[in-house]
């Protein structure tokens, strides 16, 4: 499904990614872990097209996407839950979710009911502003927003960061369910090894 071949990336003079090669098969859950500063987030940013590649190639569903914009990658079936969640604090839960509808391949302009089934807390708080939610609720919102896009590949960057253990566990259960029921391919960048083992 995703093939990253010999990619390199630099920040100023620092060589961050060195000939990184990675392959994800359809329906896999894959973990990428390591200490801070080794390039995990940079890799995800390259895969989503936030950063151009210095060299190497990326293919998705068997087709090269090196020249695709981030928006084109989203419409092709990729979604990311960024580190820090990056929700819009002044928009309601419902408005945050609705923003992702523009990336749906089927043109649907209604938030799928399944998102509220996967994360019931979002249904209860749909009219509350994102900034009023707890960290765990914001993370569920960020994942829900990605799922609105109807992705076949979900990238998560440090989904456990700053979240209480009970919510971390709930997120893990939901990710396994999404993988099992939808066949969703998932790449998780995370340092919480207990969470990774559980998922």
């Amino acid at each position: 499904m995703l093939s990253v071949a010999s990619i390199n990336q630099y920040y100023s003079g620092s060589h961050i990614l060195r000939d990184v090669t990675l392959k994800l098969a359809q329906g896999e859950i894959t973990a990428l872990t390591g200490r801070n500063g080794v390039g995990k987030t940079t890799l995800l940013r390259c895969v989503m097209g936030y950063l151009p590649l210095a060299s190497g190639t990326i293919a998705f569903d068997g087709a090269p996407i090196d020249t695709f914009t981030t928006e084109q990658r989203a419409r092709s079936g990729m979604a990311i839950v960024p580190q820090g969640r990056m929700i819009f604090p002044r928009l309601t839960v419902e408005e945050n979710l609705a923003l992702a509808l523009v990336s749906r391949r089927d043109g649907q302009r209604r938030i799928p009911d399944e998102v509220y089934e996967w994360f019931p807390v979002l249904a209860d708080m749909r009219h509350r502003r994102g900034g009023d939610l707890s960290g765990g609720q914001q993370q569920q919102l960020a994942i829900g927003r990605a799922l609105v896009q109807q992705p076949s590949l979900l990238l998560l960057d440090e989904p456990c960061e700053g979240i209480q253990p009970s919510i971390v566990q709930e997120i893990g259960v939901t990710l396994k369910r999404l993988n099992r029921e939808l066949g969703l391919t998932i790449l998780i960048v995370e340092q919480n090894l207990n969470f990774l083992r559980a998922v």
Side-chain angles (χ1 to χ4, degrees):
M1 164 167 277
L2 178 70
S3 177
V4 174
S6 301
I7 67 170
N8 287 272
Q9 183 54 263
Y10 300 81
Y11 286 134
S12 300
S14 298
H15 196 169
I16 304 301
L17 299 179
R18 295 175 182 267
D19 296 320
V20 174
T21 297
L22 173 71
K23 288 191 178 184
L24 301 183
Q26 174 84 35
E28 282 186 337
I29 299 179
T30 303
L32 180 63
T33 191
R35 63 179 174 78
N36 290 335
V38 297
K40 302 182 304 294
T41 295
T42 299
L43 176 62
L44 293 189
R45 292 175 61 81
C46 287
V47 169
M48 277 306 298
Y50 296 150
L51 294 173
L53 299 179
S55 63
T57 61
I58 301 174
F60 182 60
D61 279 343
I65 60 169
D66 303 326
T67 61
F68 281 22
T69 64
T70 299
E71 291 79 8
Q72 289 171 318
R73 294 176 199 217
R75 286 198 178 93
S76 72
M78 301 169 66
I80 188 168
V81 179
Q83 186 175 18
R85 301 179 275 279
M86 307 294 276
I87 62 155
F88 293 92
R90 293 183 177 268
L91 298 183
T92 65
V93 164
E94 195 166 58
E95 289 167 338
N96 268 278
L97 294 172
L99 285 173
L101 290 169
V102 298
S103 296
R104 282 186 68 98
R105 293 173 279 179
D106 62 4
Q108 180 175 314
R109 291 297 173 255
R110 183 176 166 275
I111 297 166
D113 293 334
E114 293 84 5
V115 172
Y116 293 123
E117 292 171 15
W118 293 320
F119 297 108
V121 69
L122 300 182
D124 297 338
M125 299 187 170
R126 69 178 70 193
H127 300 299
R128 290 185 66 180
R129 293 196 309 182
D132 294 336
L133 304 182
S134 71
Q137 292 163 347
Q138 288 182 4
Q139 187 64 281
Q140 291 175 80
L141 174 56
I143 297 170
R145 180 181 57 191
L147 295 174
V148 165
Q149 296 175 224
Q150 196 183 25
S152 53
L153 172 63
L154 180 63
L155 311 172
L156 297 111
D157 194 359
E158 303 282 1
C160 299
E161 186 177 60
I163 299 176
Q164 68 186 42
S166 62
I167 302 296
V168 167
Q169 186 175 10
E170 284 180 31
I171 289 172
V173 169
T174 301
L175 291 176
K176 287 195 294 186
R177 182 181 165 202
L178 290 165
N179 172 257
R180 184 177 63 250
E181 295 179 11
L182 303 181
L184 184 63
T185 305
I186 302 173
L187 175 60
I188 307 172
V189 163
E190 181 55 66
Q191 297 186 56
N192 183 332
L193 295 181
N194 289 331
F195 172 78
L196 293 178
R197 286 190 192 103
V199 174

